[in-house]
Amino acid sequence: MRTIAVMNQKGGCGKTTTVVNLAGCLASEGHRVLVIDIDPQAHATLGLGLDPEQLEENLYEVLAEDGAPSARLDEVTVPADENLDVAPSGVILSALEQKLAAEGAKGRTERLAKALELLPKPYDFVLIDCPPNVGILTFNALRAAQEVIIPLETSYYAMHGVGKLLETIGLLEDRVGHQLSIRILPTLFDGRTRFAKRALAEIRETYKDLVFDTVIRQNVRLREAAQRGLPISKLDRRCYGFVDYMSLALELLFDRIQHAEEEEEMPQPKAAGAKGVVFTYKSTSAGEVQLAGDFNDWVANKDVETRRGPNGTWEMIVRLGPGVYQYRYKVDGDWMPDPSNPRSVEGPAGGINSVIIIS
Ligand SMILES: Nc1ncnc2c1ncn2[C@@H]1O[C@H](COP(=O)(O)OP(=O)(O)O)[C@@H](O)[C@H]1O
Ligand SMILES: [Mg+2]
């Protein structure tokens, strides 16, 4: 079980959007995901289509009392979608922050970690949406997590908070008492502005390897999805918002499994503008190479234009809009993932599919 807290003491930088949509993408790839909404504003609960006022129980019942909580985590958890559950929030959580602070209660920052240990069946991923401050609730999230994602808005103003953020990162590990793997996610990127480009360059320069390769672009569909209480994976799988969050999901999955091997030497399918995307397979021995993917309903060579190049090169061209696609080659009757593409996932029907992201 990978437990990831999404935190930044600044509001509006994309924490909740990241939790909801990353959860949706991981779940749609077949991973079991639990979203823990520990922000009293309950935006993640709402963003997953649940009305916090209609729910009888929420995280308060789990966290309010030490030793004998009035509910276990799995008892307040509600399903939001296939593979996707939510431990909901509610306004009463803001009272909890005050209650715990006033009581000076022992173990008050460990309650979420303990509640997760008691889950009868572990999830693949637990994503925790933190409030925009570093109070007791956020510390509960950090105690429970091994990984932290810090969304950082790629605006001119965001860079002013950099010093403070670095300080917080340093303090966190000391106070949490265990190592946290901290990564920074550039968000709300608007590639048309020079400010945004400069901010992104500065973020990469300052935080180097801590920064994800994935950048979350501004995309109005993400706002619409939030308003409709859906993760973007349920609303539109062709928009930038989906492409970017699926790319983040894949980056999280691959870092853990293996780093992309010698990426420079491994040509990935190339985008060829209006002509479509060129998939290249090299084999001097193959008699027939075909291509199938979710873009052509897994029907070999449907809507695929094939060219034979020199030295056993097969080029297959498909028209593709922005999106994340899975595909395989059929080489002399045998299905196989693309040997030149390090990005792959377990397909829904078993076996390994290659993954291409067209942005
Ligand atoms: N990539 C994006 N493109 C467009 N709107 C976004 C994007 N990320 C976040 N938003 C919007 O910005 C606002 C703040 O985002 P949110 O995720 O709620 O931030 P936080 O949880 O850090 O306060 C919300 O209205 C959300 O829909
Ligand atoms: Mg939020």
Short mmCIF file of all heavy atoms in Angstrom, two decimals, residues 12 15-17 39 41 43-44 129-130 132, ligand 2:
data_model
loop_
_atom_site.label_atom_id
_atom_site.label_comp_id
_atom_site.label_asym_id
_atom_site.label_seq_id
_atom_site.Cartn_x
_atom_site.Cartn_y
_atom_site.Cartn_z
N GLY A 12 -5.50 26.71 -3.35
CA GLY A 12 -5.68 26.99 -4.77
C GLY A 12 -4.55 26.58 -5.68
O GLY A 12 -4.48 27.00 -6.82
N LYS A 15 -4.17 20.97 -5.05
CA LYS A 15 -4.10 19.77 -4.21
C LYS A 15 -5.30 18.84 -4.47
O LYS A 15 -5.13 17.67 -4.81
CB LYS A 15 -4.12 20.14 -2.71
CG LYS A 15 -2.86 20.81 -2.21
CD LYS A 15 -2.92 21.07 -0.72
CE LYS A 15 -3.92 22.15 -0.34
NZ LYS A 15 -3.55 23.49 -0.86
N THR A 16 -6.49 19.43 -4.30
CA THR A 16 -7.69 18.61 -4.41
C THR A 16 -7.85 18.07 -5.84
O THR A 16 -8.18 16.90 -6.04
CB THR A 16 -8.92 19.44 -4.00
OG1 THR A 16 -8.71 19.89 -2.66
CG2 THR A 16 -10.19 18.63 -4.08
N THR A 17 -7.58 18.92 -6.80
CA THR A 17 -7.67 18.50 -8.21
C THR A 17 -6.73 17.33 -8.46
O THR A 17 -7.07 16.38 -9.17
CB THR A 17 -7.31 19.70 -9.12
OG1 THR A 17 -8.15 20.80 -8.77
CG2 THR A 17 -7.50 19.36 -10.58
N ASP A 39 -9.40 17.45 4.67
CA ASP A 39 -9.61 18.90 4.65
C ASP A 39 -11.06 19.20 5.04
O ASP A 39 -11.98 18.73 4.37
CB ASP A 39 -9.31 19.43 3.23
CG ASP A 39 -9.48 20.94 3.14
OD1 ASP A 39 -9.85 21.57 4.15
OD2 ASP A 39 -9.22 21.48 2.05
N GLN A 41 -12.87 21.50 4.39
CA GLN A 41 -13.65 22.08 3.29
C GLN A 41 -14.33 21.01 2.45
O GLN A 41 -15.22 21.32 1.65
CB GLN A 41 -12.74 22.91 2.39
CG GLN A 41 -12.11 24.09 3.10
CD GLN A 41 -11.18 24.85 2.16
OE1 GLN A 41 -11.57 25.81 1.51
NE2 GLN A 41 -9.94 24.40 2.08
N HIS A 43 -13.64 19.40 -0.21
CA HIS A 43 -13.68 19.56 -1.67
C HIS A 43 -13.45 18.24 -2.41
O HIS A 43 -14.02 18.01 -3.47
CB HIS A 43 -12.66 20.61 -2.12
CG HIS A 43 -13.03 22.00 -1.74
ND1 HIS A 43 -12.15 23.05 -1.76
CD2 HIS A 43 -14.21 22.51 -1.31
CE1 HIS A 43 -12.77 24.16 -1.38
NE2 HIS A 43 -14.01 23.85 -1.08
N ALA A 44 -12.60 17.39 -1.87
CA ALA A 44 -12.36 16.11 -2.55
C ALA A 44 -13.60 15.22 -2.47
O ALA A 44 -13.96 14.53 -3.43
CB ALA A 44 -11.14 15.40 -1.95
N ASP A 129 -5.92 14.14 0.87
CA ASP A 129 -6.05 15.56 0.50
C ASP A 129 -5.97 16.41 1.75
O ASP A 129 -6.83 16.35 2.62
CB ASP A 129 -7.40 15.79 -0.20
CG ASP A 129 -7.48 17.17 -0.83
OD1 ASP A 129 -6.42 17.79 -1.08
OD2 ASP A 129 -8.61 17.64 -1.09
N CYS A 130 -4.90 17.20 1.87
CA CYS A 130 -4.64 17.98 3.08
C CYS A 130 -5.28 19.37 3.02
O CYS A 130 -5.45 19.93 1.94
CB CYS A 130 -3.13 18.16 3.27
SG CYS A 130 -2.27 16.63 3.61
N PRO A 132 -5.23 23.53 3.63
CA PRO A 132 -4.17 24.47 3.24
C PRO A 132 -3.46 25.08 4.45
O PRO A 132 -3.33 26.29 4.58
CB PRO A 132 -4.94 25.54 2.46
CG PRO A 132 -6.33 25.49 2.99
CD PRO A 132 -6.58 24.09 3.45
MG MG B 2 -8.29 21.62 -1.65
#
